[in-house]
Amino acid sequence: MEAFLTKYGSWFFITFMVLGVIPILRYDTILNEPFIFAFDYLTIPVLLIAYFLYFTKFPKYRKLAGDFKGGLWVFMLCCLFILMSQGYVMYVNATFGTQLNTKLEGEIVELDIYSSTKGGTSYYVYIDNPVRGEILQLDVSKMHFNKLKEGQQYSETWKTGSLGILYR
């Protein structure tokens, strides 16, 4: 297993990361909801499996890197894995199980554009939602963002997926 992952592991990881971005770009969601779900439910299992594999199945790398440095490397890879898992969480949420239509309503209190120094732009719509009793920050597409104005009533049907995550 160690030889196989040493030879092909980086390609598997890069493919995992690239494929994980596709659902993130495809669905509008409440900001960070898929990431929070992935963090809450995947962190402990991923860390346990990764450290188990590191300490039992990678003797050559463990001898070369040592327990401390290798442990930090495993932790960093786990963090990247969990971060990129949000796309897969969205895919599972939107594809499998029961999908319920949910009416999302409220007044638009703010529209915000965030431009990253890395070249990406995100579009956020803040809705005062009386049903949830909170202001929801929706991460939406540019096309959808351009149709909205502050102060107008927002009323659209979204879906609640099998994992309980709202998406459109």
Side-chain angles (χ1 to χ4, degrees):
M1 181 170 177
E2 185 174 18
F4 179 80
L5 283 178
T6 302
K7 188 172 184 179
Y8 300 109
S10 60
W11 287 105
F12 280 116
F13 196 73
I14 290 169
T15 303
F16 174 81
M17 289 177 56
V18 169
L19 292 177
V21 170
I22 295 168
I24 294 170
L25 298 174
R26 185 172 176 205
Y27 299 108
D28 291 342
T29 64
I30 294 178
L31 183 66
N32 292 331
E33 198 172 30
F35 173 72
I36 292 168
F37 184 93
F39 181 78
D40 286 347
Y41 294 101
L42 296 178
T43 300
I44 292 174
V46 166
L47 285 172
L48 288 175
I49 291 168
Y51 279 111
F52 172 78
L53 291 174
Y54 176 70
F55 285 110
T56 60
K57 302 293 181 185
F58 294 95
K60 291 179 187 173
Y61 183 75
R62 186 173 167 210
K63 183 178 179 184
L64 182 67
D67 288 343
F68 183 73
K69 183 179 167 188
L72 286 176
W73 182 247
V74 169
F75 182 77
M76 184 185 72
L77 288 175
C78 287
C79 290
L80 286 172
F81 180 84
I82 293 165
L83 178 66
M84 294 312 296
S85 293
Q86 65 182 327
Y88 294 99
V89 167
M90 276 309 304
Y91 178 75
V92 168
N93 180 65
T95 305
F96 302 105
T98 306
Q99 309 294 308
L100 302 172
N101 288 331
T102 305
K103 189 82 165 180
L104 206 62
E105 299 179 304
E107 180 183 347
I108 297 175
V109 294
E110 184 180 349
L111 297 171
D112 189 24
I113 299 173
Y114 174 75
S115 296
S116 171
T117 57
K118 307 273 189 264
T121 303
S122 298
Y123 301 91
Y124 303 119
V125 178
Y126 295 84
I127 298 173
D128 188 3
N129 184 270
V131 174
R132 288 190 173 203
E134 63 183 340
I135 294 178
L136 300 177
Q137 184 178 2
L138 306 178
D139 188 359
V140 299
S141 66
K142 180 180 182 180
M143 183 180 68
H144 189 243
F145 180 85
N146 289 333
K147 296 177 185 176
L148 303 172
K149 292 185 169 74
E150 282 186 32
Q152 86 181 58
Q153 283 297 319
Y154 181 89
S155 179
E156 289 191 6
T157 301
W158 284 46
K159 291 188 181 221
T160 302
S162 59
L163 301 176
I165 299 171
L166 277 170
Y167 72 95
R168 185 175 60 121

